[in-house]
Each structure stands twice: as C-alpha cells, then as structure tokens.
Amino acid sequence: MTDPDPTVRGQQLGEELRTLRKTNALSLADAAERIDASAGKLSRFAKPAAAPCPPRTSPHCSPSTA
C-alpha cells in the first residue's frame, strides 16, 4: 500500500483542523496559540490549496496569455 499524495494529506489535515476548530468554537488566533503557531501558518494549513499560476514565458507576456 502506498502513501497518499502529499497534497491529499494536506487537504485532509486542513479539513480536520477546520472541523476541530469549529467544534471547539475557537478563533483562528486561539487555535494557533494552543498549538504554538502563528495564525497565518494555521490559516495556510486550513484553507484549500490554490492552483499554481502558470510560469511566465516572457517579461512582456501577461498571465492570461502565458
């Protein structure tokens, strides 16, 4: 049996963190303090990953034409 994709594991962790935080009526700042992390760090874990932007091929190329 192989390990799941790291992105999938990250999404599962984020979902679990959100669920636990909401179940315990904790703000993002309160939850972060309890695990000795910054609210920003916890927020990055807790929200779904954004799709990566395509690389720019030219300094004159706009993101919509890359």
Side-chain angles (χ1 to χ4, degrees):
M1 184 172 181
T2 61
D3 288 336
D5 182 322
T7 304
V8 172
R9 288 193 316 254
Q11 290 171 348
Q12 291 169 340
L13 173 62
E15 289 172 16
E16 188 170 344
L17 286 169
R18 278 190 303 279
T19 300
L20 289 169
R21 191 172 64 81
K22 288 179 181 183
T23 299
N24 292 289
L26 293 172
S27 70
L28 191 60
D30 290 337
E33 184 177 329
R34 287 182 182 218
I35 64 168
D36 195 28
S38 69
K41 186 174 193 172
L42 186 58
S43 176
R44 285 191 301 274
F45 280 114
K47 66 182 164 185
C53 296
R56 295 186 78 167
T57 57
S58 163
H60 305 289
C61 181
S62 70
S64 62
T65 60

